[in-house]
């Protein structure tokens, strides 16, 4: 992945809402993908995405970040 892959950008997420999206090479801990509910293992490249705005127009912030398998994000699976 190139350096620009990790720069957040706006993409249409599940349901068509705008999300900030960052593709990452992998981290040091496991996460649960909201699309398939399976583990995104430590060290595996994946997508970190968060809604640009929370309900009622409030900024989402870091607490809204979710770690997705790249394939689940690319297919825009709805969070379970």
């Amino acid at each position: 992945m190139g350096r620009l892959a990790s720069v957040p950008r706006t993409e249409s997420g599940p349901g068509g809402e705008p999300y900030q999206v960052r593709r990452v090479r992998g981290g040091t801990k496991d996460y649960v993908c909201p699309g398939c509910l399976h583990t995104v293992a430590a060290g595996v490249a994946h997508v970190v995405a968060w809604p640009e705005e929370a309900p009622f127009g409030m900024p989402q912030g870091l607490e809204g970040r979710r770690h997705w398998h790249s394939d689940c994000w690319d297919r825009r699976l709805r969070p379970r």
Side-chain angles (χ1 to χ4, degrees), residues 50-74:
W50 59 97
E52 287 192 342
E53 288 194 16
F56 309 110
M58 300 293 292
Q60 184 66 33
L62 297 178
E63 65 274 0
R65 291 183 303 179
R66 298 294 178 263
H67 296 255
W68 295 71
H69 292 110
S70 297
D71 187 54
C72 292
W73 177 258
D74 291 343

Side-chain angles (χ1 to χ4, degrees), residues 32-39 69 72 79-80:
V32 176
C33 174
C36 68
L37 299 180
H38 290 108
T39 301
H69 292 110
C72 292
R80 294 180 181 204

